[in-house]
């Protein structure tokens, strides 16, 4: 049982019995609970860029995993840009500055950004371990002086950067968090189970939009080369059983680019780069009714 309702009516998500094996979790919940089946769960066609926008809606432009390859990306019309991490290769200050310049060239009223596992310099604990131990893994990062990256977030002057925090934009409550299940020991990696759940438990109940770097279980999280689902089971339970945002935006699994719904939350994996790091997947636009108009 991954959910409990307290005497105050609050839902508590606990670690799922299948937490450590998302592929098995998907099969189990699909067979026993039809949890990923139509009619509620299905793919969604992207909105065409020339679709008219209603005056009482806000248009979000979702991108992710641009990996310092923004040059050829055709950006559509919209109001608010959401970038869900991996905007660099290694989080080098030079890459962050280049990304910030690109953001500055975009016409959106607001731009909200989170980090991904490639933004190594944004993860202070990762950096203090790397500097102590592993010079050869990321030599260009290891040779940075602390003062070069200490305040790396401050290089992002052309956006709102959120990290385990919330911002309200045009009345929408948006929460962003960079953590992903441990994979090859990159930045913002945590073990599946309680460690990640502790991060998800910081997400407030009433947010409208959740930004994470990686997917929840079952929603654009399939890695074909390994025949595995890699989405986080606790993230799915948090999204579906406790937080229930209207939009969950992420990237992380480049092969999972696309849109799904569970009938309430729309899940957008907007990874710009393909699995071979070609920046060819177009940004995804999504309209939400303005708060107070829904
Ligand atoms: N089996 C897993 N594969 C993963 C996971 N996270 C990422 N990946 C694969 O790497 C690429 C690129 O990711 P990046 O963070 O280096 O940009 C991704 O598209 C997957 O193919 C994981 O947790 N498990
Ligand atoms: Mn990536
Ligand atoms: Mn990533």
């Amino acid at each position: 049982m991954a959910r409990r309702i307290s005497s105050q009516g609050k839902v508590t998500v606990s670690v799922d019995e299948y937490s450590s094996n998302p592929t098995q979790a998907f099969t189990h919940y699909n067979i026993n609970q039809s949890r990923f089946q139509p009619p509620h769960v299905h793919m969604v066609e992207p909105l065409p860029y020339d679709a008219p926008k209603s005056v009482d809606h806000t248009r979000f432009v979702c991108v992710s995993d641009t990996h310092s390859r923004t040059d050829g990306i055709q950006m559509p019309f919209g109001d608010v840009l959401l970038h869900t991490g991996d905007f660099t290769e290694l989080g080098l200050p030079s890459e962050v500055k280049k990304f910030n310049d690109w953001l500055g060239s975009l016409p959106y009223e607001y731009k909200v950004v989170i980090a991904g596992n490639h933004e190594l310099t944004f993860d202070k604990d990762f950096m203090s371990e790397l500097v102590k131990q592993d010079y050869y893994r990321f030599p260009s990062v290891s040779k940075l002086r602390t003062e070069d990256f200490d305040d790396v977030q401050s290089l992002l002057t052309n956006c709102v950067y959120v990290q385990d925090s919330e911002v309200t934009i045009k009345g929408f409550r948006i929460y962003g968090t960079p953590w992903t299940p441990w994979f090859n020991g990159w930045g913002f990696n945590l073990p599946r189970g309680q460690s990640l759940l502790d991060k998800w438990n910081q997400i407030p109940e009433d947010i409208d939009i959740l930004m994470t770097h990686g997917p929840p279980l079952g929603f654009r999280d399939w890695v074909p080369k390994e025949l595995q689902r890699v989405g986080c089971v606790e993230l799915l339970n948090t999204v579906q059983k406790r937080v229930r945002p209207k939009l969950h935006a992420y990237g992380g699994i480049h092969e999972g680019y696309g849109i799904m719904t569970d009938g309430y939350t729309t899940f957008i994996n907007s990874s710009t780069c393909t699995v071979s790091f070609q920046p060819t997947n177009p940004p995804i636009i999504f309209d939400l009714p303005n708060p107070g108009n829904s």
Side-chain angles (χ1 to χ4, degrees), residues 4 13 30 72 87 143 162 164 168 231 245 276:
R4 206 161 41 83
V13 174
N30 221 8
F87 47 87
K143 74 177 180 223
V162 282
D164 298 312
T168 300
S276 51

Side-chain angles (χ1 to χ4, degrees), residues 67 86 117-118 183 225-226 230 252-255 275 277:
H67 287 291
D86 278 5
N117 55 303
H118 278 248
F183 182 67
K225 63 191 172 201
E226 286 168 19
V230 300
I253 300 306
H254 300 185
E255 307 89 317
V275 68
F277 286 80

Side-chain angles (χ1 to χ4, degrees), residues 161-264:
Y161 174 74
V162 282
Q163 182 177 316
D164 298 312
S165 58
E166 177 185 337
V167 63
T168 300
I169 301 277
K170 294 173 86 68
F172 292 93
R173 289 182 63 189
I174 303 174
Y175 187 91
T177 174
W179 303 94
T180 44
W182 194 95
F183 182 67
N184 292 344
W186 284 77
F188 297 112
N189 273 187
L190 283 174
R192 293 178 186 273
Q194 193 63 51
S195 303
L196 275 171
L197 180 58
D198 287 345
K199 296 295 179 189
W200 312 145
N201 280 341
Q202 294 175 29
I203 305 169
E205 252 102 79
D206 302 322
I207 55 153
D208 301 296
I209 299 173
L210 175 62
M211 298 170 69
T212 60
H213 177 54
L217 173 70
F219 290 84
R220 314 306 300 162
D221 68 330
W222 177 248
V223 176
K225 63 191 172 201
E226 286 168 19
L227 298 178
Q228 274 183 15
R229 296 211 169 255
V230 300
C232 178
V233 188
E234 279 69 37
L235 181 57
L236 178 69
N237 288 335
T238 299
V239 166
Q240 289 190 320
K241 297 175 192 292
R242 186 176 68 78
V243 174
R244 304 195 79 221
K246 297 177 188 83
L247 171 61
H248 183 184
Y250 50 88
I253 300 306
H254 300 185
E255 307 89 317
Y257 172 85
I259 313 171
M260 286 180 79
T261 179
D262 65 1
Y264 185 88

Side-chain angles (χ1 to χ4, degrees), residues 31-47:
I31 290 173
N32 295 300
Q33 299 177 4
S34 301
R35 196 164 165 190
F36 302 99
Q37 293 290 325
H40 299 299
V41 176
H42 57 85
M43 292 289 293
V44 175
E45 283 301 312
L47 198 60

Side-chain angles (χ1 to χ4, degrees), residues 4-242:
R4 206 161 41 83
I5 301 179
S6 73
S7 53
Q8 293 88 35
K10 283 199 154 217
V11 171
T12 312
V13 174
S14 47
V15 173
D16 196 281
E17 59 180 310
Y18 295 99
S19 175
S20 60
N21 190 336
T23 309
Q24 196 184 4
F26 180 87
T27 307
H28 172 82
Y29 289 120
N30 221 8
I31 290 173
N32 295 300
Q33 299 177 4
S34 301
R35 196 164 165 190
F36 302 99
Q37 293 290 325
H40 299 299
V41 176
H42 57 85
M43 292 289 293
V44 175
E45 283 301 312
L47 198 60
Y49 289 169
D50 60 359
K53 183 182 73 108
S54 161
V55 285
D56 56 4
H57 280 59
T58 295
R59 179 158 292 178
F60 293 89
V61 177
C62 302
V63 287
S64 195
D65 299 78
T66 47
H67 287 291
S68 294
R69 292 162 168 81
T70 50
D71 286 352
I73 305 175
Q74 298 295 308
M75 299 301 292
F77 161 81
D79 302 305
V80 181
L81 179 80
L82 303 177
H83 191 304
T84 44
D86 278 5
F87 47 87
T88 66
E89 291 271 18
L90 294 168
L92 296 171
S94 54
E95 293 184 282
V96 180
K97 282 184 198 143
K98 184 176 170 229
F99 175 67
N100 187 59
D101 289 345
W102 177 70
L103 289 175
S105 74
L106 302 176
Y108 309 111
E109 197 179 344
Y110 294 97
K111 299 145 194 175
V112 187
V113 174
I114 63 168
N117 55 303
H118 278 248
E119 276 70 64
L120 301 177
T121 56
F122 285 66
D123 182 341
K124 299 297 167 222
D125 293 338
F126 176 92
M127 288 304 287
S128 50
E129 284 305 307
L130 184 76
V131 170
K132 275 190 263 167
Q133 290 168 11
D134 199 349
Y135 185 85
Y136 295 102
R137 182 146 182 236
F138 302 111
S140 55
V141 180
S142 297
K143 74 177 180 223
L144 293 170
R145 294 165 309 170
T146 311
E147 59 266 35
D148 295 334
F149 64 83
D150 231 8
D151 201 16
V152 70
Q153 291 182 21
S154 70
L155 298 174
L156 291 174
T157 56
N158 292 321
C159 65
V160 180
Y161 174 74
V162 282
Q163 182 177 316
D164 298 312
S165 58
E166 177 185 337
V167 63
T168 300
I169 301 277
K170 294 173 86 68
F172 292 93
R173 289 182 63 189
I174 303 174
Y175 187 91
T177 174
W179 303 94
T180 44
W182 194 95
F183 182 67
N184 292 344
W186 284 77
F188 297 112
N189 273 187
L190 283 174
R192 293 178 186 273
Q194 193 63 51
S195 303
L196 275 171
L197 180 58
D198 287 345
K199 296 295 179 189
W200 312 145
N201 280 341
Q202 294 175 29
I203 305 169
E205 252 102 79
D206 302 322
I207 55 153
D208 301 296
I209 299 173
L210 175 62
M211 298 170 69
T212 60
H213 177 54
L217 173 70
F219 290 84
R220 314 306 300 162
D221 68 330
W222 177 248
V223 176
K225 63 191 172 201
E226 286 168 19
L227 298 178
Q228 274 183 15
R229 296 211 169 255
V230 300
C232 178
V233 188
E234 279 69 37
L235 181 57
L236 178 69
N237 288 335
T238 299
V239 166
Q240 289 190 320
K241 297 175 192 292
R242 186 176 68 78

